[in-house]
Amino acid sequence: MIKKISLIVLILFGIHQNLIGQYTSDTIIKDFNNDKIVDTLIDFREMGSACAGRTVSIIDGKTKEKFALNNDGCYSSYTNIIKVPKNLNLKKNSLFLAAIKDRSLPNKREHIDSSLKWLLSGNSNVQILESHPYFDIIANPKTAWQPNILEIPDSYYIDSFEYSLQSEDFKNKNPTLTEKNQEYIAYYTGHQIIKLDSLTPVAQNDTYKIFKTAHTVFVKKGDTYNWAFISDDLVTGAPDRRSWPSINQVQLIDKYLIIHHDVPPVNGYFIEIINIETQKIGHLKFDPSQNNGTDERGMRTFKITNDLLLFTEYAEEEVIKIPLKQLFESLDKS
């Protein structure tokens, strides 16, 4: 739980600190709603090392009423829920909304791709565990195996209301969502992937081939592919900056993956245990560390020896040894 709380604190601190002093602002004078009276659009952008934000507002030249959308967020998550104020969502203000969306949101898509489905499903199915012997977080995204190759889309947004009709998970998590309470899901991909089919496997057995990128792990089984892990703060954590790669060592054991998951600037790393077929992710509750802060006794990454997972915790000398069989069985039963 300490790790999760630390990430939340870092994100909140980053939103406040990393948006100060770095900004641009554009102003456009134009009749946006065709009432023959010019209006004022202000496009204000703030950027920091870990977070960014953009507020696009329009002042109605006739009524002087102000309308705005804001997409403040941090790079540790690919997704952002953007709420539309009630006055902006009125039919009479639809031209204002269209102008603001054109400046503040990426292109719209009607249907989500499998990577966003993984993120939304994972976020909707996260359990925080208080007394589990191994895990403090269990996430269970649900996505279908994809034929041929996985799609890597450009950034886009979808209507939350439209998506809620497709996803019971999202609908159950947002019971008050209606067309009058409009929200958008913005997906800022930034996966740092040029071509998936140019990658070579980092691990494989008779059934699976495992591929990794800076922030993702995906699996090939026969002629199908599926996402195994995407580094995102809303699921199990992510770095403050996407320029810091988060996927380190990846080990394949039968149908299970063990991932060394870096989340700088947090001191140390996470260990994620994944059942490829069920897609269940177990986030180890321990604090593995590349060193203990005082000398070089800490293991730089986990090791697998004699069917045991071995690693050291921050500021601890003793090597923790967990039987893989117990770890996998515990994940499947959680």
Side-chain angles (χ1 to χ4, degrees), residues 114-115 118 143 150-152 216-218 226-230 279:
S114 59
S115 62
W118 189 99
T143 55
L150 292 175
E151 177 189 7
I152 305 298
T216 69
V217 177
F218 66 95
N226 206 358
W227 299 97
F229 186 79
I230 301 176
Q279 296 188 281

Side-chain angles (χ1 to χ4, degrees), residues 120-134:
L120 295 177
S121 178
N123 182 30
S124 297
N125 294 283
V126 172
Q127 302 177 56
I128 306 300
L129 308 178
E130 299 292 343
S131 56
H132 195 282
Y134 300 123

Side-chain angles (χ1 to χ4, degrees), residues 69-85:
L69 280 185
N70 177 280
N71 66 358
D72 284 354
C74 289
Y75 309 137
S76 56
S77 180
Y78 285 113
T79 60
N80 195 355
I81 303 297
I82 299 172
K83 297 181 181 294
V84 181

Side-chain angles (χ1 to χ4, degrees), residues 253-311:
I253 301 165
D254 298 325
K255 62 179 180 180
Y256 299 94
L257 292 173
I258 304 178
I259 297 175
H260 172 137
H261 182 202
D262 283 319
V263 285
V266 173
N267 189 351
Y269 65 97
F270 297 156
I271 297 178
E272 318 287 356
I273 313 296
I274 301 171
N275 181 320
I276 292 172
E277 292 298 333
T278 66
Q279 296 188 281
K280 187 177 288 187
I281 302 167
H283 181 89
L284 281 193
K285 70 178 185 179
F286 306 95
D287 292 306
S289 180
Q290 296 179 2
N291 58 68
N292 64 14
T294 57
D295 56 34
E296 294 301 322
R297 289 189 295 248
M299 295 169 58
R300 303 201 67 79
T301 184
F302 68 81
K303 296 179 182 178
I304 296 174
T305 305
N306 298 325
D307 294 324
L308 298 172
L309 175 67
L310 283 65
F311 59 92

Side-chain angles (χ1 to χ4, degrees), residues 172-198:
N172 292 338
K173 195 167 184 180
N174 298 270
T176 62
L177 190 61
T178 68
E179 285 183 291
K180 292 183 179 180
N181 181 26
Q182 185 66 61
E183 295 178 348
Y184 301 124
I185 304 172
Y187 181 30
Y188 301 105
T189 55
H191 283 303
Q192 299 182 16
I193 303 172
I194 300 174
K195 286 185 177 181
L196 282 177
D197 57 6
S198 68

Side-chain angles (χ1 to χ4, degrees), residues 87 98 140 147 174 193 203 235 279 318:
N87 65 340
N140 200 187
N174 298 270
I193 303 172
V235 183
Q279 296 188 281
E318 182 180 358

Side-chain angles (χ1 to χ4, degrees), residues 140-187:
N140 200 187
K142 296 292 185 181
T143 55
W145 289 86
Q146 305 292 309
N148 301 319
I149 197 74
L150 292 175
E151 177 189 7
I152 305 298
D154 294 328
S155 297
Y156 65 88
Y157 83 91
I158 60 171
D159 288 321
S160 293
F161 181 75
E162 292 175 6
Y163 176 66
S164 71
L165 301 179
Q166 307 170 40
S167 168
E168 286 301 316
D169 287 340
F170 193 78
K171 187 175 181 180
N172 292 338
K173 195 167 184 180
N174 298 270
T176 62
L177 190 61
T178 68
E179 285 183 291
K180 292 183 179 180
N181 181 26
Q182 185 66 61
E183 295 178 348
Y184 301 124
I185 304 172
Y187 181 30

